[in-house]
Amino acid sequence: MSNYNQRGVFLQLLTPSISSPKEVRVSMQFALKEEGYDPENRSATYSLLDSTSREAVSNDGGVTFTMGNTPDVDDDGDIDAQDKAVLIALAKAYSKIINP
């Protein structure tokens, strides 16, 4: 996250389970960054607010993903198939990155 955008998405490629070696799991954490100031140490402080996590799972090596409940990512007031499609596209793209 930068000084210009206080919202962020943290992505993590998780290891597959032992029983399913073609499994691809992508963890997504959505957060809001709050900046503050610690007068005792005279330094800036940062904390994450409204943090939520979602996980996308693929059992075919990252070709197709499934997700449980999804948040309203396009902020249009409803949670619909478009929100899920955006998160699945993000997981699919991130899973293709070899060395993030």
Side-chain angles (χ1 to χ4, degrees):
M1 286 185 261
S2 69
N3 290 330
Y4 302 108
N5 189 357
Q6 302 301 317
R7 298 181 317 158
V9 180
F10 301 97
L11 301 170
Q12 182 179 12
L13 191 59
L14 304 173
T15 57
S17 65
I18 296 171
S19 63
S20 181
K22 291 191 79 169
E23 180 182 67
V24 177
R25 297 182 317 150
V26 177
S27 173
M28 298 175 250
Q29 181 183 9
F30 304 90
L32 198 64
K33 180 175 78 171
E34 180 182 66
E35 295 182 27
Y37 183 74
D38 181 4
E40 186 176 308
N41 295 323
R42 295 182 180 170
S43 63
T45 61
Y46 302 96
S47 58
L48 297 179
L49 306 173
D50 298 332
S51 179
T52 59
S53 294
R54 301 290 188 266
E55 190 174 296
V57 179
S58 171
N59 290 313
D60 56 7
V63 177
T64 59
F65 280 87
T66 58
M67 288 190 72
N69 56 352
T70 59
D72 182 16
V73 295
D74 56 9
D75 207 23
D76 65 354
D78 62 341
I79 298 170
D80 52 17
Q82 186 176 357
D83 295 312
K84 194 173 209 173
V86 168
L87 293 178
I88 287 176
L90 178 62
K92 190 172 185 176
Y94 188 72
S95 71
K96 301 296 181 208
I97 299 172
I98 306 275
N99 293 316

